[in-house]
Amino acid sequence: MGVEEIVLLSETDEAIGTAPKVPSHHADTPYHLAFSCFLVDTEGKVLITRRALGKRTFPGVWTGSCCGHPAPGEGLRDAVLRRLRDELGVSARELTPILPAFRYQATAADGTLENERCPVVRAVTSSSAPLRLDPEEVEDAGWWTWDECVALAGRPESSPWFRLQVAELTRLGGPLEWPDAGTAALPPSLSW
């Protein structure tokens, strides 16, 4: 596999180029495209993951199901399905954009700045589907009730983006009730 590239964005969310992912994340990380996914089972439980302890930024924090960066020219659905498969070994159905305009900045303990336009997607699967965690990405994972997720968001061992996302998602009800926000608010550089 080649070097993973990220899509760099202007302040108006237009694609302005690409850059290699790893060296682009530093104390002055450029604004770029990413995504987060909440994998939900048919009972409304959410797969919560703990980032691998060997990750350079935010190691060992608890967060949503998966996150990543769409490759240049890759649509959001394909990027989410790729990361679900590669990080967790699962497939999903009913992908839905929930927070298409989500954007955040957060600084890790090592000084690395996350600076992302990060649409949030819900994916539905069966909790009986076996997980195959990629140890380079995921330390641990489990199915949590939404109340447990909300409680986690109030604790420092959760990721900054998870805390911000949960604050917005709680206003929408439980995970199976989250309405389809549509794709109009996605950045122009990202197809569904």
Side-chain angles (χ1 to χ4, degrees), residues 34-40 46-49 63-69 76-77 79-85 87-88 90-99 102 118-125 146 161-162 165 169 178 192:
F35 69 85
S36 290
C37 175
F38 285 77
L39 186 64
V40 179
V46 179
L47 185 70
I48 296 299
T49 61
T63 194
S65 308
C66 76
C67 56
H69 300 86
L76 181 56
R77 289 176 50 90
V80 169
L81 292 171
R82 172 177 53 82
R83 293 305 287 172
L84 288 171
R85 181 189 67 240
E87 278 189 32
L88 305 170
V90 297
S91 60
R93 56 184 174 84
E94 296 179 39
L95 271 66
T96 308
I98 303 299
L99 301 174
F102 184 78
C118 186
V120 177
V121 174
R122 177 190 55 214
V124 178
T125 193
W146 185 240
W161 58 92
F162 177 81
Q165 290 165 354
L169 292 169
W178 296 339
W192 174 240

